[in-house]
Amino acid sequence: MRIILLGEPGAGKGTYSIELVKRYGIPQISTGDMLRAAVKAGIPLGKQAQEYMKKGELVPDSLVIELIRERIKQDDASKGFILDGFPRTVTQAESLEKMLQGLKLSLGMVLKIEVSKALLLKRLSGRRVCPGCGTTYNIDTMRPQKEGICDKCGREIVQRPDDRPETVENRLVVYQKDTAPLIEFYEKKKLLRRVNCEGEFEDVMGRIYAAMEEVAKV
Ligand code: AMP
C-alpha cells in the first residue's frame, strides 16, 4: 500500500504515520525528517535546505524530488510506504507520478487530514521534539513522564525553530499557496479521501484505519 498523508503543518501527519507504520509494517517517508537529518549532519543538502526551513519556506522541488527518488527504491519500501510531507507542490506530485509509473507502481490513496485552524495552531505551539532521537511530544496532550525530558533518551526536549509563532503563520500561508492545490489534483484522480481528525486519538485512528482498509479491499 502506497499512501500520501496530506494536511497542513501541525495536522498530525507524523503522529498518525507512526501508528500506521506499526500496524501495516511499511515505512514512513518524511522529507521534513530527512532534511532535518541532513541539516544536523552538516552535509551540503542540509546547508542548502536550512535557510528555507528556518523561514518556513519550501526547499526547492529538485532537492526533495531527488531525495524521494532514491528513498522509494530502497528495499524496505518495496511493499509500500507512507509519504509524510511529500509531495508539497504540484511539480512534486507530477514527478512522483512519473517515478511510480517508471517503477510500475501506483498510489493507493491520498489521505487528507482535516482539522480546524484553531487545533493546528494549538498542536504547533505545543509541539516539542527531542533533538537526540526525534521523538515528538506535546505539552498539552502528549507530555513526557518527566517534564521537559525525553522518555526515550533523557535529553531535554525543545521547540522546533520553525514551530515558533513568527514562522508558523508563514508555513500556513505557504501551505495554502503551494500545497492546497494538491487537494484538487488528487480529487480529479479519485485518490483523495478526507478524514476528520478532530477528537479523541483512538477515534481518529479508527477513522484512518477504516479509510485504509477500504482502499486495501479494492
Ligand atoms: P515538515 O517536518 O514536513 O513540516 O517539514 C519541515 C520543513 O522542511 C518545511 O517547512 C520545508 O521547509 C521543508 N520541507 C519538508 N518537506 C518538503 C517538501 N516536500 N518540499 C519542500 N520543502 C519541504
Side-chain angles (χ1 to χ4, degrees):
M1 161 97 63
R2 287 165 208 89
I3 71 157
I4 292 173
L5 294 187
L6 184 62
E8 289 95 334
K13 298 185 292 293
T15 307
Y16 304 135
S17 297
I18 292 170
E19 300 302 311
L20 294 172
V21 166
K22 281 191 233 156
R23 188 171 172 114
Y24 297 103
I26 51 177
Q28 168 203 22
I29 300 182
S30 156
T31 38
D33 285 350
M34 290 162 98
L35 291 168
R36 277 184 290 278
V39 171
K40 200 170 161 191
I43 60 175
L45 168 67
K47 290 196 176 117
Q48 276 175 283
Q50 198 167 23
E51 287 312 306
Y52 299 95
M53 294 172 80
K54 254 199 242 161
K55 289 186 261 175
E57 299 288 336
L58 295 184
V59 308
D61 285 333
S62 55
L63 295 184
V64 281
I65 289 169
E66 284 319 305
L67 272 182
I68 290 293
R69 193 188 303 285
E70 293 311 312
R71 182 64 186 88
I72 63 173
K73 283 192 233 152
Q74 287 172 16
D75 282 352
D76 67 333
S78 62
K79 292 209 177 70
F81 46 74
I82 300 150
L83 286 177
D84 158 7
F86 183 94
R88 256 175 158 105
T89 64
V90 171
T91 305
Q92 292 178 20
E94 288 169 346
S95 295
L96 176 67
E97 204 171 30
K98 287 200 196 99
M99 276 180 226
L100 292 175
Q101 274 166 7
L103 295 167
K104 299 205 168 20
L105 299 172
S106 60
L107 267 183
M109 167 174 66
V110 177
L111 205 146
K112 167 69 175 57
I113 299 175
E114 308 242 291
V115 292
S116 65
K117 183 162 180 194
L119 186 58
L120 287 179
L121 292 175
K122 192 162 179 254
R123 286 186 178 167
L124 284 168
S125 63
R127 176 156 69 182
R128 297 291 180 275
V129 291
C130 172
C133 67
T135 305
T136 301
Y137 298 90
N138 189 292
I139 53 172
D140 301 309
T141 51
M142 257 193 283
R143 286 195 211 104
Q145 279 162 11
K146 194 168 160 206
E147 202 185 315
I149 301 295
C150 177
D151 292 339
K152 294 196 184 142
C153 70
R155 288 194 49 179
E156 197 175 331
I157 58 175
V158 296
Q159 187 169 42
R160 258 170 59 173
D162 58 348
D163 279 348
R164 293 190 191 123
E166 59 276 20
T167 314
V168 160
E169 202 52 50
N170 191 38
R171 289 167 69 204
L172 295 175
V173 169
V174 168
Y175 175 86
Q176 282 309 328
K177 180 167 72 72
D178 294 326
T179 309
L182 292 180
I183 297 171
E184 201 191 327
F185 179 91
Y186 286 120
E187 223 156 25
K188 281 193 185 143
K189 295 181 187 293
K190 305 214 180 320
L191 284 170
L192 196 88
R193 182 70 210 264
R194 294 172 193 267
V195 178
N196 169 10
C197 292
E198 299 248 355
E200 292 296 321
F201 187 70
E202 283 70 26
D203 298 338
V204 171
M205 285 317 303
R207 291 194 285 274
I208 293 178
Y209 295 145
M212 295 283 292
E213 260 120 64
E214 235 171 71
V215 173
K217 270 191 249 152
V218 182

